[in-house]
Amino acid sequence: MKADTSQMLQARISSWLSLRDRIRTLVLHGASIFTLALVLSVSGAFDSDAFPFWRRLSFHSLTATLLIVQTSLGFDLIRRILSKKTSAFVIGALTAVIVLTLMTVQLQALKLTPILPYDFDPWLAFALFLAPFVLPVSALVVLAKTAHERFWVVQEYSTDHVDEVLELAFRPVIAGLLPAPSPQTLSDWPQGAIEHIRSVDHYLEVKTASQTVLVRGRMGDALKRLSLNDGIQTHRSWWVAWAIIHSVETRSRDTAFRLNTGALIPIARAREAYVLAEWKARQPTS
């Protein structure tokens, strides 16, 4: 019964989180496209100042859409193709070059339509003409995308670990059934060595060897009480003590710490290199 409930809950939570992140991504893309198109239209970029404003806005909206959407999708595609260890800088650079090539072809093709009634330019000269605009904007899109993934997008894990990763979902705090907490932040901080901490909304689930307590506070509050010698923040919602970590596990593109208790603690992709480097530095040398 619990397994069925767990799977159903996993499906619902994953669906909601995925929808939320997609909506946020669409809103960010839409706002970026509108802002970029408006700036280009007002400035008359690409020698378009001779056109009426509505025509400039239409052309630049199409240009901004192609640039931003292709950069975002291209970055994801290249990241899937290349090794996990490939840095975001390398992936971003490859993405920018590919997008520049695509934009060169696409804008040349638009010259065959009434949208951009200009003569064909030599391919290399046209690419060099576009580069000062396309490459910096692509870089900004990649930076915004990686920042968004690091601080907002929820890292999802397979349903094999639903009972480990989503155990808090069965607790009343998720449904808002707990009474209002006292205003003293972290006043109920437990005694003893902390094994791991999970941040949920305005609460922290703090686990020690002997007890698990739920206290009012955020991860930033907990980090003020802890140091890198104690453990590390693996994810914006997770902190784990070095002493309780047993091993590192990787499934598909997801990485996590396996604890001595058997539980899994997720490692955010954006923090993976730093977290694993700190973990390896603390391993005994043979």
Side-chain angles (χ1 to χ4, degrees), residues 26-190:
L26 287 174
V27 170
L28 290 174
H29 282 174
S32 301
I33 289 170
F34 175 77
T35 302
L36 181 59
L38 190 61
V39 170
L40 293 176
S41 299
V42 171
S43 64
F46 300 120
D47 299 328
S48 62
D49 47 357
F51 297 153
F53 181 78
W54 67 267
R55 187 171 177 180
R56 275 183 279 160
L57 185 61
S58 299
F59 166 64
H60 291 310
S61 296
L62 177 59
T63 302
T65 301
L66 290 173
L67 177 53
I68 291 174
V69 172
Q70 289 179 153
T71 299
S72 180
L73 294 179
F75 183 81
D76 286 338
L77 180 60
I78 295 173
R79 185 165 55 179
R80 288 180 178 273
I81 294 173
L82 296 182
S83 167
K84 271 185 68 174
K85 297 181 179 179
T86 306
S87 70
F89 176 81
V90 173
I91 298 174
L94 288 174
T95 302
V97 172
I98 292 173
V99 170
L100 174 61
T101 303
L102 291 174
M103 292 290 293
T104 301
V105 174
Q106 291 159 349
L107 292 182
Q108 287 275 51
L110 281 178
K111 294 178 181 180
L112 300 175
T113 71
I115 298 177
L116 193 63
Y118 288 132
D119 295 331
F120 265 67
D121 290 300
W123 290 97
L124 181 58
F126 192 55
L128 293 176
F129 171 73
L130 293 177
F133 165 70
V134 172
L135 296 181
V137 174
S138 291
L140 288 175
V141 172
V142 169
L143 286 174
K145 184 177 181 66
T146 52
H148 174 249
E149 291 175 351
R150 178 173 182 177
F151 296 108
W152 290 105
V153 175
V154 175
Q155 305 292 332
E156 296 188 31
Y157 282 80
S158 69
T159 55
D160 295 340
H161 307 301
V162 64
D163 290 327
E164 298 168 316
V165 180
L166 296 179
E167 62 175 326
L168 274 179
F170 291 101
R171 303 196 173 199
V173 64
I174 298 299
L177 301 179
L178 286 181
S182 62
Q184 288 77 27
T185 301
L186 303 181
S187 59
D188 297 321
W189 192 260

Side-chain angles (χ1 to χ4, degrees), residues 204-241:
L204 293 170
E205 187 195 51
V206 185
K207 175 74 169 60
T208 68
S210 59
Q211 62 177 326
T212 300
V213 299
L214 198 65
V215 298
R216 176 79 169 183
R218 294 183 180 275
M219 184 59 73
D221 301 319
L223 294 177
K224 293 176 183 178
R225 292 174 168 258
L226 303 163
S227 72
L228 190 58
N229 291 327
D230 300 319
I232 193 166
Q233 183 183 10
T234 65
H235 185 280
R236 65 190 179 97
S237 300
W238 289 91
W239 181 94
V240 62

